[in-house]
Amino acid sequence: MFQFYKKLGLKKSGLSAGGKFNGPEVKTILKEENLQLLSNMLPTDKEPFINFFKSCRELHSISVRTDFNPKDAEFYLFHFQINFDCLYEDFGVNETLKTHVILEHFSWYFENSGTNFRLTNGEFVEAAHYTKKRHEVDHGFVTKKKQGTKHHLLRQIQSLSSYNSMRVVC
């Protein structure tokens, strides 16, 4: 992977073990020619990762473009789900909060609003996510392994109950 990043002139940011990429770097990685380059560098059994990256790119595209068609959203959400399920089942990739939101909530938003995210502002959502994540860290509710399992669900319910109970105004 280092060779791929170097070839594209990318540097990770962030403090997590794997680092992370920001929006512009992600867009660079997801360009068709760069995914083809990556595909040529990876073993053939890793092709499901390339397919998932492509489904991420396409879903993002329909989520922010000016001409929104709900049928397109259904199509690309379906492909995102199929590609993620393959990674989850065959490679043990965790279901992150962002993946959960995409899989469980995007279709509802698209159906009920009749539009995409082009004109939305998600800063308040990001602030809520940050506060919730900080609560999980501070109170020992972080689950790093076996995300998406029944144990993970139980921990999330405990975390959310704790989080909400601390914010109840009497």
Side-chain angles (χ1 to χ4, degrees), residues 21-32:
F21 292 108
N22 295 317
E25 291 87 1
V26 172
K27 286 182 180 181
T28 297
I29 292 169
L30 295 181
K31 287 181 181 177
E32 186 61 35

Side-chain angles (χ1 to χ4, degrees), residues 33-157:
E33 61 270 17
N34 295 335
L35 288 179
Q36 186 60 48
L37 173 67
L38 181 58
S39 179
N40 293 338
M41 296 173 85
L42 294 176
T44 55
D45 67 329
K46 302 299 187 247
E47 194 63 27
F49 288 91
I50 301 299
N51 294 335
F52 179 71
F53 291 154
K54 288 179 181 180
S55 69
C56 290
R57 180 188 64 215
E58 298 304 324
L59 183 57
H60 177 266
S61 175
I62 65 107
S63 295
V64 297
R65 69 183 180 203
T66 54
D67 58 329
F68 177 72
N69 181 340
K71 292 292 181 196
D72 288 345
E74 285 179 36
F75 177 81
Y76 290 115
L77 280 167
F78 174 76
H79 283 274
F80 181 90
Q81 173 84 56
I82 295 301
N83 285 297
F84 174 75
D85 286 348
C86 175
L87 296 182
Y88 181 79
E89 293 165 10
D90 297 345
F91 295 93
V93 171
N94 287 329
E95 181 177 323
T96 64
L97 178 59
K98 287 183 182 181
T99 302
H100 164 79
V101 169
I102 291 168
L103 295 175
E104 302 298 329
H105 304 289
F106 271 34
S107 61
W108 180 91
Y109 180 84
F110 293 148
E111 288 172 22
N112 288 284
S113 71
T115 189
N116 60 12
F117 303 118
R118 181 168 181 78
L119 301 176
T120 61
N121 181 342
E123 289 177 15
F124 68 94
V125 175
E126 291 298 325
H129 284 163
Y130 174 80
T131 304
K132 174 78 167 64
K133 188 172 190 108
R134 188 77 251 147
H135 175 82
E136 288 181 350
V137 169
D138 291 348
H139 297 279
F141 289 113
V142 176
T143 303
K144 293 189 177 193
K145 297 181 181 176
K146 299 184 181 180
Q147 292 182 341
T149 64
K150 288 183 181 186
H151 174 75
H152 179 235
L153 176 61
L154 176 62
R155 300 272 297 161
Q156 289 301 300
I157 290 170

